[in-house]
């Protein structure tokens, strides 16, 4: 895969760090990998500072995983979307559907403040 | 995944716009290939000849029988090959080369099932038409509060959804809203998918249109109570005045503004009381 997914727990928050390119060829595997690690009612942080390219199928895989997580009661936040992927996040309205914060640290702080109830934003 | 977009262009007496619309469509820069299907509804002007000047466009023959929007749309969808359908009226001129990309992007990313674009008024649009467009489109915040609002003048949807749940073939107006209410899709407004599209209706045209919309809305949502039409007319008239007063160039519309607004509301209400809610 051109995309590297690293996961770690920071307290109760599960942080995914994505590096590389998320493109059509890896979309399905990415989605499966991600969904295998998700459990109900988790707080999720996606650090996208290392994601430098994404296409529609890649974004669709990320969005479907996020929607799946939200349906399972998870709270998810995206952080540090880089300028090139940002274009696609904006025209597809993903950045309006899911909360996107400028840095991973800010997203971490915001997640710490959320309570344990269901919160799609 | 390989996608194909089918752009469906409906026309009737659109000779002033159709060439610009088709030029702008074929000038689009889009990651996804697209085909264009045109269906004219018995124009009496040069629209068919102007469309024929675009050999890249597929011309669908006009089906027999009375024009009903849902029936025509279903016919065009069934003749399309793409997995994504884009509706664009012949008088809605795409602005810029990214209209198509911006319109279909939310579908491709999975954040919406249906999108509609931003309709900007024409340079000759009346001030109150500009004001109505700002509310209906603009930044999208106002229309986000309206029930099932979207506009097929420029819109995109998955073909599969349109085949599974076709448009109502009996309704004469608001077929888009009726479809949205029945299908409950996730609707996204794509403000960067901009087209130039507006109408300066005469009072007679306003009467006809809003009577028809009143009939359709009564069928979709039930009749609108008189008190609500009156309240809506009062609010809208105040908004009209607030829009026109700071714009001296629009003052010439002031005397007729309340008449136009109350005509809309009255005929919308009257249409909702007609026996035939088609």
């Amino acid at each position: 895969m051109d995309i590297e997914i690293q996961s770690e727990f920071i307290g109760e928050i599960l942080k995914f760090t994505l590096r590389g390119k998320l493109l059509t060829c890896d979309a399905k595997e990415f989605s499966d990998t991600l969904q295998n690690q998700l459990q109900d009612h988790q707080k999720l942080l996606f650090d996208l500072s290392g994601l430098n390219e994404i296409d529609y199928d890649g974004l669709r895989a990320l969005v479907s995983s996020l929607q799946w997580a939200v349906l399972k009661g998870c709270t998810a936040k995206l952080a540090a979307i880089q300028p090139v992927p940002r274009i696609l996040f904006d025209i597809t309205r993903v950045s309006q559907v899911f909360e996107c914060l400028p840095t991973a640290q800010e997203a971490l702080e915001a997640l710490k403040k959320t309570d344990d109830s269901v919160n799609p934003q | 995944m390989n996608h194909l977009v089918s752009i469906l262009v409906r026309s009737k007496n659109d000779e002033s716009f159709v060439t610009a619309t088709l030029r702008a469509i074929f000038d689009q820069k889009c990651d996804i290939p697209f085909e264009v299907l045109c269906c004219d509804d018995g124009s009496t002007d040069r629209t068919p000849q102007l469309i024929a000047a675009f050999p890249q466009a597929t011309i669908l023959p006009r089906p027999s029988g009375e024009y009903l929007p849902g029936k025509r749309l279903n016919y065009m969808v069934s003749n399309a090959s793409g997995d994504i359908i884009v509706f664009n009226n012949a008088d809605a001129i795409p602005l810029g080369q990214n209209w198509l990309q911006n319109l279909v992007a939310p579908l491709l990313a999975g954040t919406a099932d249906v999108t509609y674009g931003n309709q900007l008024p024409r340079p000759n649009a009346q001030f109150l038409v500009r004001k109505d467009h700002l509310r209906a489109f603009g930044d999208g915040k106002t229309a986000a509060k309206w029930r099932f609002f979207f506009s097929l003048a420029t819109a995109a949807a998955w073909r599969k959804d349109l085949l599974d749940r076709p448009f109502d073939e009996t309704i004469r107006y608001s077929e888009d809203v009726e479809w949205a209410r029945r299908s409950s899709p996730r609707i996204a407004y794509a403000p960067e998918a901009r087209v130039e599209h507006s109408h300066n209706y005469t009072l007679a045209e306003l009467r006809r249109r809003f009577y028809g919309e009143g009939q359709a809305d009564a069928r979709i949502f039930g009749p609108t109570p008189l008190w609500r039409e009156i309240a809506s007319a009062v609010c809208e008239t105040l908004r009209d005045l607030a829009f026109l007063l700071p714009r001296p160039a629009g003052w010439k519309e002031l005397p007729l503004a309340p008449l136009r607004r109350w005509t809309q509301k009255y005929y919308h209400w009257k249409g909702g009381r007609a026996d035939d809610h088609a």
Side-chain angles (χ1 to χ4, degrees):
Chain A
M1 283 210 297
D2 283 340
I3 182 81
E4 184 191 328
I5 313 169
Q6 210 173 56
S7 61
E8 60 175 320
F9 272 100
I10 302 173
E12 57 175 346
I13 296 164
L14 177 55
K15 178 185 176 187
F16 291 100
T17 305
L18 309 188
R19 288 196 190 89
K21 302 172 180 178
L22 181 49
L23 304 175
T24 304
C25 50
D26 296 326
K28 175 79 174 70
E29 197 178 339
F30 168 81
S31 196
D32 292 345
T33 307
L34 210 60
Q35 288 182 18
N36 282 338
Q37 298 189 50
L38 297 180
Q39 291 175 1
D40 292 359
H41 305 291
Q42 281 180 316
K43 292 182 180 181
L44 308 172
L45 163 57
F46 290 82
D47 180 354
L48 307 181
S49 57
L51 180 73
N52 43 43
E53 196 178 334
I54 192 165
D55 66 8
Y56 282 113
D57 289 331
L59 191 54
R60 196 176 178 88
L62 178 62
V63 167
S64 66
S65 299
L66 287 165
Q67 286 172 337
W68 189 77
V70 168
L71 282 175
K72 290 170 80 69
C74 298
T75 302
K77 294 193 191 297
L78 306 176
I81 303 170
Q82 296 303 294
V84 173
R86 178 106 222 167
I87 296 167
L88 205 57
F89 276 80
D90 286 345
I91 66 166
T92 55
R93 328 304 288 165
V94 171
S95 44
Q96 291 186 5
V97 177
F98 296 98
E99 190 175 359
C100 306
L101 291 140
T103 64
Q105 189 57 38
E106 285 173 77
L108 200 60
E109 295 301 323
L111 279 167
K112 280 179 186 167
K113 286 178 193 160
T114 58
D115 60 25
D116 292 329
S117 62
V118 176
N119 177 13
Q121 281 279 311
Chain B
M1 193 171 175
N2 295 326
H3 297 286
L4 173 69
V5 176
S6 296
I7 304 177
L8 311 185
V9 179
R10 289 180 291 166
S11 60
K12 183 170 187 180
N13 294 335
D14 289 312
E15 66 176 5
S16 306
F17 310 107
V18 69
T19 299
T21 297
L22 289 175
R23 264 193 201 137
I25 286 175
F26 285 113
D27 205 26
Q28 290 301 301
K29 285 182 178 169
C30 189
D31 297 340
I32 302 168
F34 61 88
E35 62 170 8
V36 177
L37 282 73
C38 297
C39 187
D40 186 67
D41 185 42
S43 291
T44 51
D45 64 5
R46 293 184 305 132
T47 302
Q49 294 92 310
L50 295 172
I51 292 173
F54 290 85
Q56 319 93 299
T58 302
I59 298 174
L60 296 176
R62 178 192 182 194
S64 58
E66 182 191 9
Y67 175 82
L68 289 161
K71 203 170 179 180
R72 181 62 48 86
L73 291 165
N74 290 338
Y75 162 73
M76 293 184 80
V77 170
S78 67
N79 277 282
S81 309
D83 56 333
I84 296 175
I85 300 293
V86 164
F87 300 100
N88 197 75
N89 290 358
D91 62 347
I93 305 169
L95 300 173
Q97 293 178 302
N98 297 318
W99 156 78
L100 184 58
Q101 187 82 46
N102 289 328
L103 195 59
V104 300
L107 299 185
L108 294 170
T111 49
D113 305 313
V114 177
T115 61
Y116 65 97
N118 186 358
Q119 297 178 34
L120 300 176
R122 300 191 202 285
N124 69 345
Q126 294 163 355
F127 275 76
L128 290 183
V129 171
R130 291 168 191 275
K131 178 224 148 202
D132 287 349
H133 274 244
L134 266 177
R135 275 174 61 74
F137 304 101
D139 61 11
K141 285 180 184 163
T142 304
K145 298 172 199 153
W146 298 345
R147 292 178 296 179
F148 309 105
F149 177 76
F150 86 107
S151 168
L152 282 179
T154 189
W158 292 104
R159 181 169 182 263
K160 184 183 177 305
D161 291 345
L162 298 166
L163 292 175
D164 288 349
R165 291 179 296 277
F167 291 102
D168 185 306
E169 297 199 346
T170 58
I171 207 162
R172 289 171 196 279
Y173 285 88
S174 305
E175 70 284 355
D176 36 19
V177 176
E178 192 281 332
W179 183 84
R181 187 177 192 228
R182 191 161 31 88
S183 308
S184 302
R186 292 171 302 156
I187 301 173
Y189 170 52
E192 300 307 320
R194 296 177 303 126
V195 296
E196 186 182 283
H197 180 247
S198 64
H199 297 281
N200 287 338
Y201 288 125
T202 63
L203 273 178
E205 288 167 337
L206 271 183
R207 281 200 293 268
R208 192 166 54 244
R209 181 174 178 109
F210 280 85
Y211 185 87
E213 286 194 358
Q215 279 185 304
D217 286 351
R219 182 162 149 185
I220 300 166
F221 301 114
T224 309
L226 182 60
W227 68 265
R228 192 183 286 169
E229 291 284 11
I230 292 172
S232 168
V234 169
C235 290
E236 211 57 58
T237 304
L238 292 173
R239 275 195 285 265
D240 290 344
L241 297 178
F243 186 84
L244 288 175
L245 286 172
R247 295 171 172 81
W251 286 358
K252 63 178 183 296
E253 290 181 31
L254 269 172
L256 279 180
L259 175 66
R260 293 180 67 81
R261 194 59 73 187
W262 285 76
T263 297
Q264 285 180 10
K265 300 297 178 186
Y266 173 70
Y267 279 91
H268 186 268
W269 175 77
K270 203 173 168 191
R273 278 179 166 54
D275 289 337
D276 172 22
H277 287 158

